Amino acid sequence: MSAELLEVKDLQVSFQVERGVKTEALKGVSFCVPENTTVALVGESGSGKSVSAMAILGLLPANALVGGQIRLAGRSLLDASAAELRALRGAQVSMIFQEPMSSLNPVFTVGEQIAEVLRLHLRLTARAARARAVQLLDEVGIPEPALRARSYPHELSGGQQQRVMIAMAIACEPRLLIADEPTTALDVTIQAQILELLRRLQRERRMSMLFITHDLSVVGELAEQVVVMRNGLVLEQGRTLEVFARPMHPYTRALLACRPSLTSRPRHLPVIADFLNDDPDSPARRLFGAGGPPGAVLAGASAPDGVLFVVPRIEQRERGLSDADPVVLDVRGLVKTFTLNDGLFSRRQVHAVRDVSFKLRRGKTLGLVGESGSGKTTVGLSLLRLHQADAGQVLFDGVDLQSLSSQQWFAYRRRLQIIFQNPYASLNPRFTVGQTLVEPMRIHAIGDDDARRIQRARELLDRVGLPADSLTRYPHEFSGGQRQRIAIARVLTLDPEVVVCDESVSALDVSVQAQVLNLLQDLQDEFGLSYLFISHDLAVVRYLADEVMVMKDGAVIEAAGSDQIYREPREEYTRRLLGAIPRGLAARVA
């Protein structure tokens, strides 16, 4: 039995928001991280995962009130002085944050930032620290480490930035590594590389790791133990194999069931409320019967998701295209090139989109997949003239949208809309939700007056599952999933026929993601919308798409029906994308 390296007992954290008013974030959380073991902390946003990590590191803000015990190798961290905590951070316990661009200093090279950690904690000379920084970059798999050590963060890809963060975190060989959602925003192939790197480093250095995530597929591949949190409480914990095979709490079952499967396609994905709702008419009861959701079973080779709920009565959705489906958008030979400045007198051409052609059919979904830099988003933005294509045609109702003047394009703009990835950035923080929804209707002269527009806005909020009083509130008052629903409602104000969904669910928790995917599907069924669904998450694409198009280096390398491309991928690149999808416990069983 491994000794406990980290012990958290009855941890309570509240925040003093104003005089006499406190917000409870943690309500008596207890768990342990044994020596040389990976423990996963899972739950939705707001469950208390990151607050727990910040409490361990002593990084909570000044208005935090902390009670309970946190011990690292028997030493109390809550009683440690600020100087003692500074000495521990990086040397004994370190952290990898979710967003490397927010954590790396943009004005220092990555080599300088790693060397700073070594000089501070290990007292290395400047020359020795620089040499060791290059060795660490090589250890985490960055090519040409001596050259990359002289690069600034913005000159590296997202995957490389995250590797730099990992190199910095392991520089002083800490006993405990905390990884807070380190792969959430990464492509599936880069995610697989980072997970394999963390596995290798943990094994070789015999570190303990506390891995924070909302994705149980990742947990199944990485962690020996799992702790499930919700609303500041631990609902369930134990060995990953046992918790996945026999989840005792309905919330754990819900997290396991919310993730789209690669083996089945239900008409609606289960959501958290289905499992925690005692209403006999709730969707979960209708799907699973009066006995509620059954337990999970380990999957064999025929079930790659790792865990499947035995649900024979779920209604399946058929996907696919037929020749009778009318074409709403016909894209022919689309080309887009960017000119980048490499220096004062140096420029280079980047061919973002190379001769891309496809047809989008009415009421259907075309999934567009590929790694970052493959050209997916550029295609979507070019269709809407947010980028001006260099060549090609985009035929909509027989009219080439690329050849229209700005005045002519205005008449078509309302019929083609986009849902962006980040609702935090795409909603105006100074507008109320009502103003956000009424403005596009006013611009395009939809509705006789503002009173009718407000009424329509209220109806659309109800349609996307938000209360009517949302009209008077501002975006910062909503969760990420609610903001994405507001963005969807804004798109619907214009009655579009084609919607580009640009990574519109990739930043959401799996439970919220399931709600938004169900909403998108319901809206397509009701309004006959056509989606160009851009994503690096192939499980999500398989659930939603009738046809899948794979892009690499700006070109389409493969296109086929959803079932066919997942069952019989033709290209090695497509097989590599599919092989990188987290498969939970099945990856270990195999």
Side-chain angles (χ1 to χ4, degrees):
M1 183 74 177
S2 300
E4 308 294 2
L5 174 64
L6 177 70
E7 297 177 274
V8 177
K9 293 184 179 179
D10 194 28
L11 181 61
Q12 304 163 49
V13 175
S14 59
F15 295 97
Q16 188 86 41
V17 292
E18 56 184 80
R19 180 172 295 182
V21 179
K22 297 178 184 178
T23 298
E24 285 189 290
L26 299 180
K27 308 168 186 177
V29 168
S30 300
F31 62 88
C32 295
V33 180
E35 294 271 10
N36 191 27
T37 301
T38 298
V39 176
L41 208 55
V42 304
E44 299 171 281
S45 294
S47 62
K49 308 187 301 295
S50 294
V51 172
S52 300
M54 293 300 183
I56 293 167
L57 290 165
L59 294 177
L60 291 173
N63 67 331
L65 306 173
V66 184
Q69 297 181 34
I70 302 175
R71 293 186 176 275
L72 182 67
R75 180 178 181 178
S76 174
L77 298 186
L78 293 183
D79 297 330
S81 67
E84 290 173 325
L85 287 173
R86 279 196 300 271
L88 281 171
R89 295 186 203 117
Q92 294 294 314
V93 55
S94 60
M95 186 164 182
I96 306 166
F97 294 94
Q98 177 176 353
E99 179 46 65
M101 274 305 287
S102 299
S103 306
L104 294 171
N105 193 321
V107 301
F108 290 103
T109 66
V110 297
E112 289 172 330
Q113 295 183 60
I114 298 172
E116 181 184 23
V117 176
L118 295 164
R119 292 199 307 272
L120 179 65
H121 290 288
L122 302 185
R123 305 299 181 187
L124 297 185
T125 65
R127 176 178 292 183
R130 285 196 300 269
R132 179 58 182 149
V134 172
Q135 293 175 354
L136 286 163
L137 290 175
D138 182 57
E139 186 175 351
V140 298
I142 289 184
E144 300 179 286
L147 177 63
R148 289 304 185 186
R150 298 194 294 271
S151 299
Y152 291 90
H154 73 271
E155 298 178 294
L156 304 179
S157 69
Q160 289 174 330
Q161 291 168 5
Q162 198 60 285
R163 287 172 186 267
V164 170
M165 288 295 300
I166 293 171
M168 197 179 302
I170 66 170
C172 300
E173 301 190 5
R175 299 181 66 182
L176 174 65
L177 178 65
I178 301 175
D180 187 6
E181 302 272 12
T183 64
T184 297
L186 300 178
D187 291 337
V188 64
T189 51
I190 305 300
Q191 174 181 261
Q193 294 170 20
I194 296 297
L195 292 176
E196 178 54 36
L197 172 62
L198 289 173
R199 270 194 297 265
R200 176 173 63 80
L201 292 172
Q202 190 271 333
R203 183 175 61 250
E204 292 175 355
R205 292 170 173 255
R206 300 187 64 80
M207 293 184 301
S208 296
M209 185 159 61
L210 182 63
F211 192 90
I212 298 172
T213 185
H214 62 259
D215 191 339
L216 287 174
S217 297
V218 171
V219 172
E221 291 193 6
L222 194 67
E224 287 83 31
Q225 298 183 24
V226 60
V227 180
V228 181
M229 293 186 64
R230 186 170 192 251
N231 295 335
L233 295 169
V234 173
L235 301 184
E236 186 166 0
Q237 61 181 304
R239 292 179 62 242
T240 304
L241 184 67
E242 295 173 354
V243 171
F244 275 40
R246 290 174 293 278
M248 302 301 294
H249 198 281
Y251 181 70
T252 310
R253 299 175 192 166
L255 288 178
L256 287 165
C258 286
R259 177 74 176 159
S261 169
L262 288 174
T263 58
S264 64
R265 193 152 38 201
R267 180 162 290 276
H268 278 96
L269 293 169
V271 298
I272 297 295
D274 294 341
F275 288 77
L276 303 182
N277 191 347
D278 292 330
D279 182 357
D281 294 325
S282 70
R285 290 302 181 92
R286 293 198 301 271
L287 289 177
F288 299 110
V297 295
L298 276 177
S302 62
D305 292 283
V307 172
L308 290 178
F309 288 100
V310 185
V311 191
R313 293 185 294 278
I314 288 185
E315 182 184 0
Q316 300 295 302
R317 178 179 291 277
E318 294 298 324
R319 291 287 181 190
L321 304 175
S322 71
D323 293 337
D325 297 322
V327 174
V328 65
L329 200 65
D330 188 356
V331 179
R332 302 177 183 177
L334 198 66
V335 175
K336 178 61 182 176
T337 302
F338 294 100
T339 301
L340 301 182
N341 293 323
D342 276 346
L344 188 59
F345 303 107
S346 175
R347 294 185 177 183
R348 62 188 171 97
Q349 300 288 317
V350 176
H351 300 283
V353 177
R354 307 168 185 256
D355 194 25
V356 167
S357 301
F358 61 87
K359 294 180 180 180
L360 178 62
R361 298 179 182 272
R362 190 173 302 281
K364 299 293 183 178
T365 300
L366 172 62
L368 190 54
V369 302
E371 297 172 292
S372 291
S374 62
K376 309 185 302 294
T377 294
T378 304
V379 168
L381 296 180
S382 297
L383 299 183
L384 304 175
R385 292 181 39 154
L386 297 174
H387 285 323
Q388 188 62 49
D390 299 322
Q393 294 180 302
V394 178
L395 301 177
F396 181 72
D397 279 352
V399 175
D400 182 10
L401 301 180
Q402 301 295 306
S403 65
L404 299 178
S405 67
S406 297
Q407 185 175 3
Q408 291 170 325
W409 164 240
F410 182 82
Y412 286 89
R413 197 167 63 186
R414 58 171 286 190
R415 300 170 66 184
L416 296 94
Q417 288 292 303
I418 185 168
I419 304 169
F420 292 100
Q421 174 178 357
N422 187 355
Y424 296 85
S426 61
L427 297 175
N428 190 327
R430 293 181 175 86
F431 276 18
T432 65
V433 171
Q435 290 171 309
T436 296
L437 299 185
V438 167
E439 182 189 40
M441 290 189 278
R442 185 182 294 134
I443 290 172
H444 289 274
I446 296 174
D448 296 331
D449 51 41
D450 276 357
R452 298 198 180 187
R453 292 175 189 132
I454 291 171
Q455 178 58 34
R456 176 170 167 77
R458 189 176 288 109
E459 292 170 357
L460 287 173
L461 285 176
D462 180 67
R463 187 65 193 84
V464 299
L466 291 174
D469 64 6
S470 301
L471 283 173
T472 58
R473 297 162 62 189
Y474 289 88
H476 72 271
E477 300 179 69
F478 296 88
S479 68
Q482 289 172 324
R483 293 186 208 196
Q484 199 62 288
R485 290 170 180 266
I486 294 168
I488 293 171
R490 179 175 59 183
V491 163
L492 294 177
T493 61
L494 299 179
D495 290 325
E497 297 168 50
V498 173
V499 178
V500 176
C501 302
D502 186 14
E503 299 279 10
S504 51
V505 298
S506 63
L508 304 177
D509 292 338
V510 288
S511 56
V512 179
Q513 182 185 86
Q515 297 171 23
V516 174
L517 289 174
N518 287 341
L519 173 61
L520 289 173
Q521 185 56 68
D522 289 343
L523 294 173
Q524 185 175 61
D525 292 343
E526 182 175 347
F527 299 111
L529 299 174
S530 301
Y531 294 140
L532 179 66
F533 192 85
I534 300 169
S535 180
H536 64 259
D537 190 329
L538 278 78
V540 168
V541 170
R542 187 183 190 280
Y543 169 74
L544 203 63
D546 300 281
E547 184 180 16
V548 177
M549 193 164 68
V550 182
M551 289 191 69
K552 181 177 185 291
D553 298 329
V556 175
I557 64 168
E558 185 167 3
S562 177
D563 290 333
Q564 179 183 343
I565 211 163
Y566 282 82
R567 185 175 59 248
E568 300 173 347
R570 187 180 71 248
E571 299 292 328
E572 176 58 32
Y573 177 75
T574 309
R575 289 193 286 272
R576 184 157 63 87
L577 287 178
L578 292 170
I581 300 172
R583 283 171 164 77
L585 291 178
R588 296 186 183 182
V589 173

